[in-house]
Amino acid sequence: MNEVSRTHHTIQSLDKAVSSLEMELAVERARSSAAVGAGTAVSSLGPQKAFVVIGINTAFSSKKRRDSLRDTWVPRGDKLRRLEKEKGIVIRFVIGRSGAAATGDGPLDRAVDAEDAENKDFLRLDHVEGYHELSSKTRIYFTTAVATWDADFYVKVDDDVHVNLGMLTSRLAKYRTRPRVYVGCMKSGPVLSQKGVKYHEPEYWKFGDEGNKYFRHATGQIYAVSKDLAAYISINQPILHRFANEDVSLGAWLIGLEVEHVDDRSMCCATPPDCEWKKRAGNVCVASFDWSCSGVCKSVDRMKHIHRACGEGQGAVWSVAT
């Protein structure tokens, strides 16, 4: 019986090893396809190693928002490069192209090109920007990020949210050895069938009778997925269904998998005084925003105040072990 038990354990270990190799092979194929699709060369050295890739979802009209983040929690210039090299923390503003020109070289695109030349902090996607295209943008973001960086985690955050990088990375580090982790503030809101209302779901009938709620999923302001889940999205992105709301779409892609949903309430603190009180109590928040605005209300004007009141301090991120 002992011999049978040892044999069974060996078979299980081999199965896991083969599954892991199959996943790695599929990821490499997806990376090559994504790189070719984006018109970039595939490096013989493979994608750059990182601990976490933080993609900040932004729009052409949001330059002031981006500058408010650069003035607070997003490092500039050499500090940004140093953060990547020493801590493995990659931060990029994520944007596609405008629909003004088929080639993606309209005036809006040229303005972002000039901004990127100055700051070198953009990730450009092969995607046409549009409010109703956020689910598509999310699929393409993960596909492009996986093709570019070999990271333990991939984060999506909106450009009107305050983030403490040290707290974010220390939280994620706790789940580094766990497979298929999905981290965020989990919610289950109503499925809105009425036309004309915000967050209307045209495919409401798929979720059951009127009055039903969505399955649990992370709120869209900020969430993180582990490498294998980002790879899954990258590999299967052509057949992943898009619902009206981007956070619902991501939750739908993961709900049928063996995924650990981590409900981390520090990723959805309110703005001062809430996050300020928590900081004084020693519970620094990962992210802060206003539910009433689905982000920080008047973020351009208020981001510096929130950073002063709720920020972890400039040295915090450098002390985190990644």
Side-chain angles (χ1 to χ4, degrees), residues 93-161:
F93 289 101
V94 180
I95 197 167
R97 54 186 174 83
S98 72
T103 55
D105 60 354
L108 295 175
D109 301 281
R110 290 194 292 272
V112 167
D113 288 341
E115 189 180 342
D116 190 27
E118 177 183 357
N119 297 284
K120 295 180 173 59
D121 57 4
F122 277 91
L123 175 63
R124 301 300 298 272
L125 305 180
D126 184 17
H127 165 77
V128 177
E129 288 288 324
Y131 179 77
H132 296 293
E133 299 298 327
L134 290 178
S135 293
S136 291
K137 184 176 182 179
T138 300
R139 292 190 313 182
I140 297 170
Y141 159 60
F142 283 116
T143 300
T144 307
V146 167
T148 310
W149 295 280
D150 179 12
D152 290 319
F153 294 94
Y154 298 83
V155 172
K156 176 263 177 181
V157 60
D158 290 339
D159 62 5
D160 57 351
V161 172

Side-chain angles (χ1 to χ4, degrees), residues 224-287:
V225 297
S226 54
K227 176 195 294 188
D228 37 13
L229 295 183
Y232 171 83
I233 295 170
S234 173
I235 294 164
N236 296 285
Q237 64 96 12
I239 59 171
L240 294 177
H241 186 69
R242 296 164 294 161
F243 290 102
N245 301 302
E246 166 253 339
D247 52 355
V248 172
S249 293
L250 182 81
W253 302 338
L254 304 181
I255 194 68
L257 307 180
E258 288 291 341
V259 172
E260 180 180 358
H261 287 58
V262 178
D263 184 19
D264 189 337
R265 308 316 288 183
S266 74
M267 294 178 74
C268 53
C269 295
T271 51
D274 178 61
C275 57
E276 188 173 12
W277 290 339
K278 290 176 179 176
K279 176 184 175 181
R280 290 177 181 177
N283 301 315
V284 178
C285 293
V286 171

Side-chain angles (χ1 to χ4, degrees), residues 140-320:
I140 297 170
Y141 159 60
F142 283 116
T143 300
T144 307
V146 167
T148 310
W149 295 280
D150 179 12
D152 290 319
F153 294 94
Y154 298 83
V155 172
K156 176 263 177 181
V157 60
D158 290 339
D159 62 5
D160 57 351
V161 172
H162 181 269
V163 176
N164 282 314
L165 293 173
M167 285 304 300
L168 174 63
T169 51
S170 64
R171 290 276 186 173
L172 294 179
K174 295 179 180 180
Y175 307 107
R176 192 170 195 172
T177 59
R178 301 189 195 178
R180 300 178 299 280
V181 178
Y182 173 32
V183 187
C185 288
M186 299 296 163
K187 65 174 185 177
S188 178
V191 181
L192 301 178
S193 59
Q194 302 90 343
K195 290 185 178 180
V197 300
K198 192 175 184 180
Y199 307 127
H200 165 62
E201 177 57 73
E203 297 182 86
Y204 62 90
W205 60 274
K206 289 185 177 180
F207 296 91
D209 297 330
E210 187 174 349
N212 275 10
K213 290 186 175 182
Y214 290 114
F215 39 77
R216 290 284 174 183
H217 62 280
T219 184
Q221 285 86 350
I222 179 172
Y223 52 74
V225 297
S226 54
K227 176 195 294 188
D228 37 13
L229 295 183
Y232 171 83
I233 295 170
S234 173
I235 294 164
N236 296 285
Q237 64 96 12
I239 59 171
L240 294 177
H241 186 69
R242 296 164 294 161
F243 290 102
N245 301 302
E246 166 253 339
D247 52 355
V248 172
S249 293
L250 182 81
W253 302 338
L254 304 181
I255 194 68
L257 307 180
E258 288 291 341
V259 172
E260 180 180 358
H261 287 58
V262 178
D263 184 19
D264 189 337
R265 308 316 288 183
S266 74
M267 294 178 74
C268 53
C269 295
T271 51
D274 178 61
C275 57
E276 188 173 12
W277 290 339
K278 290 176 179 176
K279 176 184 175 181
R280 290 177 181 177
N283 301 315
V284 178
C285 293
V286 171
S288 302
F289 55 87
D290 303 303
W291 285 104
S292 60
C293 298
S294 297
V296 173
C297 299
K298 299 181 179 179
S299 64
V300 173
D301 300 326
R302 298 178 60 220
M303 195 61 70
K304 286 185 178 180
H305 166 67
I306 295 169
H307 190 63
R308 286 193 298 269
C310 302
E312 63 192 350
Q314 292 186 352
V317 69
W318 302 103
S319 62
V320 175

